[in-house]
Amino acid sequence: LREIGVTRPVSLLRNMRLRARLSRDDQIRRDAGCLEGQTLLLYPNNVYELGGAEECLQALHRLPAEFHLAFLGEVQKGLEARVDALLKTYGLVERVKFLKPVQPDRLIGYISGADVSIVPLRPEIANHQHCLPNRIFESIAAGVPLVVPSGSEIGAFVQAHGVGVTFPDFEADSVAETLLRAVNGRRAGAFDEAIETAQRDLVWENEQTVLQE
């Protein structure tokens, strides 16, 4: 806004969720064919150009076979053939599932079964540099640590609140290493306190005071 000449005071109102009790659910693991002892990475969005899905597949190829990836959404029309080719090229057909979206009242419990949530929005799109999409707050509400790129508003947010880790670039090795670090951190409880604090504080009941003021 400052870049386009807006000088008056501006308040940021983030689209946070209402505080709610979390009912954990392993249904997403069953839907993704993820067996006990295996790791489920969640991409909680539709697959679209510059959304980072291709980099996720390249990273998964570099991770142990126990790692699985679930896309929660649709594949953008025109990208189906490319995604299918990548799955076959990297031998990931059995490790990747495309799940249908669930009803909003089931979403948080449903995604709580994932081990980490990756939101790899590429910075070539200006909106990706400044956005805080709903799936950030949904992952926090579900108690799932985040893996996001640095150098963006999402990265700064995750680092500031300690609710996940960031990768420095979109090279497959960097993304894979960061995913592995996040999973190991999750197992060690490294994010538990920060996520519990975020679940308490980063809710609409607190955010709405911006409107009241």
Side-chain angles (χ1 to χ4, degrees), residues 15 30 47 76 99 107 175 190 193:
N15 191 26
R30 295 189 289 274
V47 175
Q76 181 181 357
L99 307 178
L107 177 63
V175 179
E193 184 176 352

Side-chain angles (χ1 to χ4, degrees), residues 64-139:
E66 69 182 63
F67 281 71
H68 291 245
L69 174 63
F71 291 93
L72 188 59
E74 307 292 336
V75 179
Q76 181 181 357
K77 189 173 182 179
L79 294 182
E80 300 96 333
R82 187 195 308 178
V83 171
D84 186 60
L86 288 171
L87 293 177
K88 293 176 179 176
T89 297
Y90 295 132
L92 298 175
V93 173
E94 299 301 320
R95 295 170 59 192
V96 175
K97 292 293 186 293
F98 296 87
L99 307 178
K100 294 181 179 180
V102 299
Q103 293 298 317
D105 60 343
R106 289 190 55 220
L107 177 63
I108 303 305
Y110 187 69
I111 67 174
S112 70
D115 291 291
V116 299
S117 178
I118 179 168
V119 183
L121 301 182
R122 293 194 62 94
E124 288 88 335
I125 298 177
N127 182 54
H128 289 177
Q129 298 176 19
H130 306 291
C131 67
L132 276 177
N134 291 349
R135 51 195 178 277
I136 297 295
F137 300 109
E138 290 163 354
S139 297

Side-chain angles (χ1 to χ4, degrees), residues 112-192:
S112 70
D115 291 291
V116 299
S117 178
I118 179 168
V119 183
L121 301 182
R122 293 194 62 94
E124 288 88 335
I125 298 177
N127 182 54
H128 289 177
Q129 298 176 19
H130 306 291
C131 67
L132 276 177
N134 291 349
R135 51 195 178 277
I136 297 295
F137 300 109
E138 290 163 354
S139 297
I140 291 171
V144 181
L146 286 147
V147 175
V148 303
S150 59
S152 64
E153 188 67 30
I154 294 174
F157 177 89
V158 168
Q159 290 176 324
H161 294 283
V163 293
V165 292
T166 61
F167 49 89
D169 56 62
F170 280 83
E171 294 296 323
D173 287 337
S174 295
V175 179
E177 186 279 329
T178 305
L179 285 166
L180 186 59
R181 182 156 47 94
V183 169
N184 289 336
R186 171 77 187 271
R187 291 171 177 167
F191 309 108
D192 291 355

